[in-house]
Amino acid sequence: LAKTTQPISMDSYEGQEVNITCSHNNIATNDYITWYQQFPSQGPRFIIQGYKTKVTNEVASLFIPADRKSSTLSLPRVSLSDTAVYYCLVGDYTGGFKTIFGAGTRLFVKA
Amino acid sequence: GAVVSQHPSWVICKSGTSVKIECRSLDFQATTMFWYRQFPKQSLMLMATSNEGSKATYEQGVEKDKFLINHASLTLSTLTVTSAHPEDSSFYICSLFSAGDGYTFGSGTRLTVV
């Protein structure tokens, strides 16, 4: 199982772009990278998933370098409602894997 | 994508009593579901893997006699906290895995034991 490392916390202001990087040095060939968002007293919610290069959806972008040993979640123009904990998970999505959550990154967006 | 319904969202119980938490897959037949526990300001910790029609697989350090898991159908897994004590107070979350959507999580259950 690929272990992940993220910054414990980050602060930002409304309207700024926020980039959260996750390190996963022992990622396996079949592993995908998925990011989740969790608000207090709620379950994690899927944000974005990727395998390599860049993926973009309506809420975020995910940048994955060629060696895939890290990934960066990019949140454009954050708002107060983006204050949450963000987790990256790495694993083989073709067959399921045991979810080992790292500490996550606590993002605090200020006005 | 897969939809997971978890119930109740919060529960308060007296010490020594048992509490059952339900996790339903609304549109996906889940042979496997997962249960997590999360303490304040901490990450999710996988407690056990629930297997339809067979025994659950518990993570190291999780008491199987205290946290009873039943996965009797492809759409329902239950976690029963038996003889609950204040230290069992926590946020419990379930999830399922589907090849198309990856992991989908329930909304969680806040258990408070008084």
Side-chain angles (χ1 to χ4, degrees), chain A residues 36 38 41-46 49 87 89 92-104 106, chain B residues 34 36 38 41-46 59 91 93 95 97-99 101-108 110:
Chain A
Y36 292 87
Q38 185 183 29
S41 296
Q42 293 186 29
R45 185 176 68 116
F46 173 90
Q49 181 184 103
Y87 297 98
L89 283 184
D92 185 352
Y93 274 72
T94 59
F97 59 95
K98 185 184 294 187
T99 48
I100 305 296
F101 279 82
R106 192 171 297 272
Chain B
F34 305 88
Y36 309 80
Q38 186 176 33
K41 304 285 187 190
Q42 295 187 22
S43 184
L44 284 77
M45 184 191 76
L46 180 65
E59 295 300 304
F91 191 57
I93 307 169
S95 78
F97 177 84
S98 62
D101 300 316
Y103 283 92
T104 303
F105 294 84
S107 55
R110 173 74 59 194

Side-chain angles (χ1 to χ4, degrees), chain B residues 19-22 35 47 67-69 77-81 92:
Chain B
V19 173
K20 180 184 286 188
I21 302 170
E22 293 187 348
W35 288 95
M47 298 175 66
F67 299 100
L68 300 180
I69 291 173
S77 176
T78 61
L79 168 68
T80 301
V81 183
Y92 293 87

Side-chain angles (χ1 to χ4, degrees), chain A residues 1-105:
Chain A
L1 293 170
K3 180 181 176 182
T4 60
T5 304
Q6 303 172 232
I8 294 298
S9 65
M10 296 181 70
D11 287 345
S12 182
Y13 288 93
E14 283 190 290
Q16 289 187 332
E17 178 185 77
V18 171
N19 296 308
I20 305 173
T21 297
C22 179
S23 296
H24 27 80
N25 290 317
N26 59 339
I27 188 170
T29 301
N30 293 334
D31 286 348
Y32 280 72
I33 302 154
T34 310
W35 284 79
Y36 292 87
Q37 175 191 57
Q38 185 183 29
F39 296 113
S41 296
Q42 293 186 29
R45 185 176 68 116
F46 173 90
I47 300 175
I48 197 167
Q49 181 184 103
Y51 182 79
K52 63 180 179 180
T53 63
K54 177 184 175 182
V55 180
T56 298
N57 62 21
E58 63 275 10
V59 298
S61 294
L62 179 59
F63 299 91
I64 305 169
D67 65 6
R68 304 203 322 124
K69 293 183 182 299
S70 67
S71 59
T72 299
L73 172 72
S74 181
L75 304 173
R77 297 179 298 282
V78 295
S79 64
L80 296 176
S81 62
D82 292 317
T83 293
V85 179
Y86 293 82
Y87 297 98
C88 73
L89 283 184
V90 175
D92 185 352
Y93 274 72
T94 59
F97 59 95
K98 185 184 294 187
T99 48
I100 305 296
F101 279 82
T105 298

Side-chain angles (χ1 to χ4, degrees), chain B residues 1-110:
Chain B
V3 179
V4 177
S5 176
Q6 188 172 339
H7 179 81
S9 56
W10 59 270
V11 58
I12 301 173
C13 71
K14 291 184 177 180
S15 185
T17 62
S18 295
V19 173
K20 180 184 286 188
I21 302 170
E22 293 187 348
C23 183
R24 293 183 183 273
S25 172
L26 301 184
D27 58 352
F28 180 78
Q29 293 187 324
T31 57
T32 303
M33 299 177 87
F34 305 88
W35 288 95
Y36 309 80
R37 180 168 52 182
Q38 186 176 33
F39 292 108
K41 304 285 187 190
Q42 295 187 22
S43 184
L44 284 77
M45 184 191 76
L46 180 65
M47 298 175 66
T49 301
S50 167
N51 304 299
E52 188 267 335
S54 65
K55 292 182 179 181
T57 304
Y58 291 82
E59 295 300 304
Q60 190 173 7
V62 178
E63 300 175 59
K64 59 181 66 176
D65 293 331
K66 181 165 192 60
F67 299 100
L68 300 180
I69 291 173
N70 183 277
H71 194 155
S73 77
L74 291 172
T75 59
L76 175 64
S77 176
T78 61
L79 168 68
T80 301
V81 183
T82 63
S83 186
H85 292 286
E87 58 265 30
D88 298 321
S89 297
S90 188
F91 191 57
Y92 293 87
I93 307 169
C94 67
S95 78
L96 61 82
F97 177 84
S98 62
D101 300 316
Y103 283 92
T104 303
F105 294 84
S107 55
T109 298
R110 173 74 59 194

